[in-house]
Amino acid sequence: MTDATLTSAPAGRATRRGIVRVALRGLLYLLLALFVAYYILPLFVMAVTSLKSLDEIRAGSLMSLPDSASLVSWATAWSSACAGIQCEGLQPFFWNSVKMVVPAVFLSTFLGAVNGYALSHWRFRGANLIFALMLFGCFIPFQVVLLPMARTLGLLGLAGSLGGLVLVHVVYGLGFTTLFFRNYYVTIPVELVKAAKIDGAGFFTIFFRIFLPLSPPIIVVTVIWQFTQIWNDFLFGVSFSQAGTQPVTVALNNIVNSTTGVKEYNVDMAAAIIAGLPTLIVYVLAGKYFIRGLTAGSVKG
Amino acid sequence: MSGWLTRNIPKIVVAPSLAAVLFFVYGFIVWTGYVSLTRSRIMPRYDFDGFGQYVKLFRTPRWDVAMENLFVFGLLFIAVSIALGLLLAVLLDQRIRAEGAIRTIYLYPMALSFIVTGTAWKWILNPGLGIESVVRSWGWESFSFDWLVDPEMAIYTVVIAGVWQASGFVMALFLAGLRSVDQEVIKAAMVDGINLPRIYVSIVIPSLSPVFLSAVIVLAHLAIKSFDLVIALTGGGPGYATDLPATYMYAMAFSRGDLGQAAASATVMMMTVAAIIVPYLYSELRPRHD
C-alpha cells in the first residue's frame, strides 16, 4: 500500500527502523524473485531443452544451459516431426490455426460490436433478457454441446472442416464479445445518441459515425481475447477436426504423445514453443489489453 | 413499411445472434439433456427411457473417481490459487521496482494453452527426467518425487500445474482491488500507529470481499471445465486415476462411443456449473439502486 514514513520519530530509533526496513525490502524482493523463478521455470525448461541435442538431454540436467545451442530441433518440429502417421511437422497445422483464427476473430468481434451497440443504446423490450441469455452461454461447460454440435456440423456438411471450427468459435465467442462491447458502450453518454437521432441519423449512421470511431480500445481488447481463446482451444479442435484440418494445439498434443520411435524431447519442446509463440508474442506486446479482457470476464459493472 | 423497418432495426440486427445462441446453446443443452434420458449407445435414440443412464453413471467406479478428483482438485485449486494470488498481490503492492515486468511474468501462463506449457510440466514432474533426477544429481540420492506416476498422488500434480496457471490471474484481480482501496483510510490507520500487517488483515483484505467472490466463482468454473490440463499432463492416468468429469465425458463420447453416458455426464457438469454461475450472474446483472 504505502511505506510507513514517520518523520517525527527520534533519530536513534529512526536508524534502527531504517535497517529493519532495508532488511524487509530485501526479503520482499527475494520472495518476488523466487516466485518469478517458479512461474518462468516451465518456459525456461522448454527453451533450453529445445536447443540441446538428445545426448546432452540424457546426460545433463533439466535446467542446465545447452553446451552448444542448435536450432535443429526447431527445424524438425516445424517441418518433419511426426504427429501419428503424418510426418510434416507442425507447419500445416500452424497454418490451419491461422486460417481458423482470422475469420473467427473477425466475425465474432464484428457481431459483438453490433450486438453490444444495439443492446446498450437501443433498449427495446427484452434487451436485458437477451443479454443475460447470451452471457450465460459463455459459461456453459462445452461438453454439453459437443454431441449435438458434432451432429449439426455433419448435417451442414461441415464435419471435420475448418469452416465448421470457425462456426463453432464464432457461436461460442459471441457472449464474451457482446459483453465487452456492451459494457464499453454503456459508458458513452445517451445524450450523444439522442442528439444524433434528432439530426436524423439512423441506427447504422450512428454506429459507423459515432460508436465505431470511439471503439479502438475495446476492439483491441476483444480481438486479443478472442485470438488467445481460439488459438489456445483444444477441446473443440480435438472433437471437430480430422487428419488434415487439426489446429496446432491438437497436432502438438499428437506429436508429444506420439509413441513410435525414439522420444525426441528437444523436438517436443521446440514444437510446444512454436505452437505457443503467437499468443505469447501478443501477450508480451499487448498484455495490458489481455488483462483487461480477463478481468472484464469476471467483474462486470 | 420503411417506418417499421427503422423502428425494428435494432431487433433485426440482434436477431441472428440471438437465434444462434438459442439454437447452439439452449437447444443443444435440451438435446443433450434429452439424450441422457434415452438408451443411446453409438447412435442417438429418441425413445424416452427415464433415469437409467444416471443410475448407471453413479454406479460406475470411474465416474466416482472423476467426481472425487473434481472435489479434491477443485477445493485445493481454488484455495491455493486464492492464497497465492492474494499474497502476490500484497507483495506487489509495496511500491516495487519493475512491477510491470514482474506482473507480466506472473500472469503469462494464462495467455498460453496448457497443451503448450503442459509439455514442460510433464517433463519437470517426470521422476526419471525432472525435479527428482535434478535433486538426486545434487547429491540427495534418496530424494523421491514421483507423484505423476503414483495413482494416489497424481491428482496433486494436476493441482500444482493448475495453480501455476491460474494464480497470476487471481493476483491481477486482487491487485486491481487493492488499488481501489481508499488510501485515506490507510493513512489514518498509520497515523494511529497501527502496523502494516494489521492494516492489511483488518482493513484492506476485508474490503476485498467482492473480489474474493469473483475469484471463487471464476476458479470454480475453471476447475469444472478443466480438460487440457489433465489431457496434457497425465492423459487421465495412471489408469483413470486423474480423470475429471470433463475427460470422462470426452472418453465416453469419442473413444467408448457411449452417447447415453456422455450425455448424462455432460448434464451433471452443466447442472454443477449452473448452480454456481446462475446466482452469480443474477446478482451481477441485477439493476443497482444506489
Side-chain angles (χ1 to χ4, degrees), chain B residues 150-199:
Chain B
D150 178 349
E152 290 295 314
M153 302 303 284
I155 191 68
Y156 298 103
T157 62
V158 181
V159 175
I160 295 174
V163 167
W164 172 82
Q165 195 184 27
S167 48
F169 166 54
V170 181
M171 173 218 69
L173 284 182
F174 277 118
L175 200 56
L178 286 176
R179 296 277 146 89
S180 63
V181 172
D182 189 356
Q183 295 297 317
E184 294 304 312
V185 179
I186 292 152
K187 273 187 199 143
M190 279 187 164
V191 171
D192 287 348
I194 304 171
N195 62 19
L196 203 56
R198 267 292 305 278
I199 293 177

Side-chain angles (χ1 to χ4, degrees), chain A residues 22-235:
Chain A
V22 169
L24 276 178
R25 294 297 283 180
L27 191 67
L28 179 65
Y29 278 103
L30 183 70
L31 264 176
L32 287 168
L34 280 176
F35 281 115
V36 165
Y38 166 64
Y39 285 101
I40 213 79
L41 177 70
L43 201 59
F44 177 76
V45 168
M46 275 157 70
V48 292
T49 309
S50 75
L51 299 173
K52 289 178 190 170
S53 69
L54 264 184
D55 288 334
E56 202 190 334
I57 291 172
R58 286 204 201 89
S61 132
L62 178 77
M63 280 170 280
S64 63
L65 290 170
D67 290 335
S68 56
S70 110
L71 285 172
V72 177
S73 359
W74 284 64
T76 313
W78 178 249
S79 55
S80 64
C82 297
I85 46 163
Q86 243 181 317
C87 293
E88 301 160 53
L90 218 48
Q91 187 184 10
F93 307 103
F94 189 93
W95 297 123
N96 280 347
S97 274
V98 172
K99 280 182 235 163
M100 168 184 81
V101 164
V102 172
V105 169
F106 176 79
L107 280 172
S108 57
T109 305
F110 178 75
L111 287 172
V114 177
N115 288 339
Y117 164 64
L119 292 174
S120 59
H121 279 273
W122 297 78
R123 299 186 149 265
F124 45 89
R125 215 154 50 89
N128 278 336
L129 178 67
I130 292 175
F131 179 57
L133 284 174
M134 291 176 111
L135 195 56
F136 181 68
C138 322
F139 292 101
I140 59 166
F142 291 127
Q143 276 75 14
V144 82
V145 300
L146 284 187
L147 298 173
M149 191 44 127
R151 292 186 73 74
T152 309
L153 289 176
L155 291 175
L156 293 173
L158 290 172
S161 72
L162 283 175
L165 280 175
V166 171
L167 174 74
V168 172
H169 284 300
V170 170
V171 167
Y172 298 110
L174 268 182
F176 266 119
T177 58
T178 303
L179 165 75
F180 288 161
F181 280 98
R182 179 189 175 273
N183 284 0
Y184 182 77
Y185 288 154
V186 162
T187 60
I188 293 176
V190 192
E191 288 71 29
L192 208 61
V193 181
K194 274 189 189 150
K197 276 187 199 164
I198 291 167
D199 289 344
F203 183 85
F204 285 110
T205 318
I206 298 176
F207 179 65
F208 285 109
R209 292 281 182 77
I210 300 176
F211 281 74
L212 222 46
L214 290 171
S215 302
I218 197 65
I219 292 177
V220 174
V221 170
T222 312
V223 166
I224 288 177
W225 173 264
Q226 283 296 89
F227 172 77
T228 311
Q229 292 301 306
I230 299 174
W231 186 275
N232 287 345
D233 162 72
F234 179 72
L235 180 63

Side-chain angles (χ1 to χ4, degrees), chain B:
Chain B
M1 179 62 204
S2 84
W4 179 87
L5 197 66
T6 330
R7 247 178 295 121
N8 286 292
I9 248 185
K11 292 183 204 171
I12 296 167
V13 163
V14 176
S17 300
L18 178 64
V21 168
L22 287 180
F23 181 76
F24 288 103
V25 175
Y26 297 94
F28 281 9
I29 292 173
V30 170
W31 191 93
T32 303
Y34 185 77
V35 166
S36 76
L37 301 174
T38 69
R39 285 186 191 221
S40 304
R41 293 285 295 175
I42 294 177
M43 294 301 284
R45 292 165 53 171
Y46 298 103
D47 34 334
F48 183 79
D49 187 55
F51 289 89
Q53 294 288 1
Y54 291 92
V55 173
K56 189 176 157 197
L57 183 68
F58 294 135
R59 282 189 188 149
T60 308
R62 186 172 173 184
W63 173 256
D64 277 349
V65 171
M67 286 304 270
E68 234 169 78
N69 280 340
L70 177 61
F71 186 73
V72 171
F73 167 73
L75 218 62
L76 285 172
F77 171 69
I78 294 171
V80 180
S81 295
I82 287 190
L84 192 58
L86 181 60
L87 173 69
L88 292 177
V90 170
L91 291 181
L92 267 184
D93 199 30
Q94 309 305 318
R95 299 196 173 166
I96 294 300
R97 233 171 272 175
E99 188 204 307
I102 297 175
R103 224 174 35 199
T104 304
I105 292 170
Y106 289 172
L107 197 58
Y108 86 88
M110 212 59 191
L112 284 173
S113 163
F114 198 78
I115 301 292
V116 170
T117 44
T119 315
W121 271 109
K122 205 168 161 171
W123 222 58
I124 295 169
L125 297 168
N126 183 312
L129 301 159
I131 295 178
E132 185 180 286
S133 75
V134 170
V135 175
R136 284 187 183 177
S137 74
W138 288 342
W140 185 356
E141 295 292 342
S142 61
F143 179 82
S144 149
F145 184 67
D146 56 358
W147 290 4
L148 191 67
V149 293
D150 178 349
E152 290 295 314
M153 302 303 284
I155 191 68
Y156 298 103
T157 62
V158 181
V159 175
I160 295 174
V163 167
W164 172 82
Q165 195 184 27
S167 48
F169 166 54
V170 181
M171 173 218 69
L173 284 182
F174 277 118
L175 200 56
L178 286 176
R179 296 277 146 89
S180 63
V181 172
D182 189 356
Q183 295 297 317
E184 294 304 312
V185 179
I186 292 152
K187 273 187 199 143
M190 279 187 164
V191 171
D192 287 348
I194 304 171
N195 62 19
L196 203 56
R198 267 292 305 278
I199 293 177
Y200 269 99
V201 171
S202 34
I203 302 173
V204 179
I205 293 174
S207 76
L208 294 177
S209 53
V211 186
F212 275 97
L213 179 68
S214 299
V216 169
I217 300 281
V218 174
L219 291 171
H221 171 244
L222 281 179
I224 297 168
K225 289 199 341 183
S226 288
F227 178 72
D228 308 11
L229 203 58
V230 173
I231 295 290
L233 200 59
T234 63
Y240 50 76
T242 52
D243 245 349
L244 287 179
T247 56
Y248 177 90
M249 185 277 165
Y250 185 83
M252 289 301 135
F254 295 99
S255 14
R256 292 287 190 85
D258 191 340
L259 295 193
Q261 283 296 289
S265 54
T267 307
V268 174
M269 287 178 70
M270 178 71 222
M271 303 280 193
T272 321
V273 171
I276 296 167
I277 291 293
V278 170
Y280 177 68
L281 285 186
Y282 182 77
S283 69
E284 287 277 320
L285 293 178
R286 200 181 41 194
R288 300 211 170 105
H289 303 285
D290 50 23

